[in-house]
Amino acid sequence: MQIRDIVNRDIVNLQNCESEPIHIPGSIQPHGVLLALNPNSYIIEYCSNNVSSYFDTLPANVLNKPLHSLLGNEQAGKVADYVNANLSFEAHPHVVNHNGTAYNTIIYKCNNLLVLELEPFPDGGLALPDLYTQTSRFVNFLQNASSLVELCQNVADEIKSITGYDRVMVYRFDKDYNGEIIAEAVNNNLEPFLGLNYPHTDIPAQARQLYLSNLLRMIVDVNYQPVPIVTLQQSADNTHIDLSKSVLRSVSPIHIQYLQNMGVGGTLTISLIHDKKLWGLIACHHYSPKHVPYYTRLAALLQGHFLTSQIKVREVAEDYTLAQVIDDRLQQLLKQIGKGNVRMVAQEQLEQIQRLANADGVAIIINSKTYTAGEVPSTADITNLSDWLHTNSALGQYKTSCLSAEYEGGKEITDVAAGIVFQSLGTVDKDGIIWFRQEVEKSINWA
């Protein structure tokens, strides 16, 4: 039978890249070798075309043969024992030893196949990272970092130290998946990217989905030549092997061109998942090819896990701290109003509450009286808005960046109330606080 490859040869360009099937390229990167087996018989049904580079035999001598014919009975038996143990493949990678070479072996199941990806250790050793030291350092970060952004910076510094990449960046996505670099560790001779923004089109939806299913991806050399996956099955195509979980998966040519345009030689990317959504990425760039051992990559991934474990804690803590400060100011204001000292003290307290929310103006309605600071609508307009908010706010809270699109009377006050934040005070009548913001032109520093 004739050997054929399953490479996806559909032409990809900027117009169709958002629909590119990047999970089924039918090829891999050349720093490892792929074998896909029948999970019952362990017959090799697919292999990457570079098998001869690692095992000194041709694909024709591998395909449709049992795994032990390639690895030997002992090593093939250990693979079967490992699979039957139902271990977490990512957390407990297997090591195959063949002719004096140790191969880190990632094993996963897809489309009724058992896929093995064998990657020789670039330094020839199996040195494990010092996880105790890593954990201790992260605990120290937790104790000393005053904000989530500072914690991200600490993690970027640590991953750069662990991996040796020229640049390590922490991206945070907004609700539309535009990304901003909020932390960066970079060599002194390189231009910093901190604060730059990247549009959501840089990472299409299908790529974001892969970042959710495979938390760590490496490109050793952006100038690599993809290695075809071959088979003797004449009806097979690229859809038969889903490489979503692959560590060797060949990369979109659009992404490769993107990296080449930036002058990048090799990358490592770690997903930051929060509430089952892609919160951000840790992106490592090197300006020449770089092959990082798998266990070192796991050490970097551990830092990502540390960070994601703190995202909600830090965000809630920072929101709580701000809420406490606002509440303290508000209580002082209410106390002075209760004493009848409104004219003497209320204005100062109002201005402090306004600044806490970085608002252009603020209005507090208490006992049917309205107290304001900054740029606000008329008292009548505030009263009408307050009546609407108490009817339309969920749990006494409301926020919008475009009030006129949601509130009919918003069009008349858009000059001072393009956006608002409302919080009911939970008291009788219609007491509440409204922060106002004017419309602004936002300058974004796009990379």
Side-chain angles (χ1 to χ4, degrees), residues 231-252:
T231 183
L232 290 173
Q233 300 183 22
Q234 299 306 299
S235 62
D237 60 28
N238 58 299
T239 63
H240 286 206
I241 299 185
D242 185 336
L243 297 180
S244 296
K245 299 178 181 179
S246 170
V247 298
L248 296 176
R249 176 175 57 84
S250 193
V251 185
S252 163

Side-chain angles (χ1 to χ4, degrees), residues 165-338:
Y165 279 90
D166 293 329
R167 186 193 304 272
V168 177
M169 300 164 285
V170 179
Y171 288 76
R172 178 170 58 192
F173 294 125
D174 65 13
K175 61 182 178 63
D176 298 316
Y177 290 102
N178 301 305
E180 179 187 5
I181 299 175
I182 61 171
E184 179 185 42
V186 61
N187 291 351
N188 293 332
N189 64 318
L190 296 174
E191 176 188 358
F193 291 167
L194 184 64
L196 292 182
N197 291 260
Y198 293 79
H200 70 279
T201 50
D202 277 12
I203 306 177
Q206 77 274 32
R208 294 196 297 269
Q209 186 60 43
L210 284 184
Y211 281 128
L212 288 172
S213 59
N214 193 344
L215 303 185
L216 189 147
R217 292 280 293 124
M218 182 176 69
I219 303 173
V220 171
D221 183 356
V222 301
N223 296 308
Y224 77 93
Q225 293 298 314
V227 178
I229 297 173
V230 297
T231 183
L232 290 173
Q233 300 183 22
Q234 299 306 299
S235 62
D237 60 28
N238 58 299
T239 63
H240 286 206
I241 299 185
D242 185 336
L243 297 180
S244 296
K245 299 178 181 179
S246 170
V247 298
L248 296 176
R249 176 175 57 84
S250 193
V251 185
S252 163
I254 293 290
H255 184 56
I256 289 296
Q257 184 66 61
Y258 180 91
L259 294 172
Q260 290 172 337
N261 291 346
M262 294 178 67
V264 174
T267 68
L268 178 70
T269 307
I270 299 167
S271 305
L272 299 176
I273 310 298
H274 173 51
D275 286 343
K276 299 181 180 180
K277 295 181 180 179
L278 190 62
W279 182 89
L281 295 172
I282 300 174
C284 309
H285 287 180
H286 208 65
Y287 290 88
S288 61
K290 187 173 181 64
H291 190 180
V292 177
Y294 187 78
Y295 289 102
T296 302
R297 279 137 53 189
L298 282 187
L301 179 62
L302 181 61
Q303 290 293 315
H305 288 330
F306 283 152
L307 179 56
T308 52
S309 73
Q310 292 299 307
I311 289 173
K312 188 167 187 176
V313 174
R314 289 284 174 160
E315 288 181 339
V316 169
E318 290 172 9
D319 289 345
Y320 177 78
T321 299
L322 179 60
Q324 284 292 100
V325 174
I326 292 175
D327 186 64
D328 290 343
R329 299 295 188 193
L330 190 58
Q331 292 304 319
Q332 293 177 38
L333 176 63
L334 295 175
K335 185 182 297 184
Q336 297 302 328
I337 291 174

Side-chain angles (χ1 to χ4, degrees), residues 65-141:
K65 301 292 195 306
L67 182 63
H68 65 76
S69 69
L70 177 67
L71 300 183
N73 290 329
E74 180 183 2
Q75 292 299 314
K78 288 182 178 179
V79 169
D81 291 343
Y82 171 81
V83 172
N84 293 333
N86 292 317
L87 296 172
S88 169
F89 295 161
E90 179 186 276
H92 302 276
H94 182 59
V95 176
V96 166
N97 289 284
H98 182 74
N99 289 341
T101 300
Y103 294 86
N104 185 81
T105 306
I106 303 301
I107 304 175
Y108 55 92
K109 296 176 181 178
C110 81
N111 297 352
N112 297 317
L113 291 169
L114 187 65
V115 180
L116 280 63
E117 297 188 15
L118 298 92
E119 181 185 341
F121 292 87
D123 55 4
L126 293 173
L128 299 178
D130 187 344
L131 298 184
Y132 174 78
T133 299
Q134 268 194 268
T135 306
S136 297
R137 287 173 64 85
F138 190 82
V139 170
N140 185 58
F141 296 158

Side-chain angles (χ1 to χ4, degrees), residues 139-158:
V139 170
N140 185 58
F141 296 158
L142 287 180
Q143 294 172 341
N144 295 317
S146 60
S147 67
L148 179 59
V149 170
E150 184 177 345
L151 187 60
C152 288
Q153 183 60 54
N154 290 335
V155 168
D157 292 336
E158 183 71 2

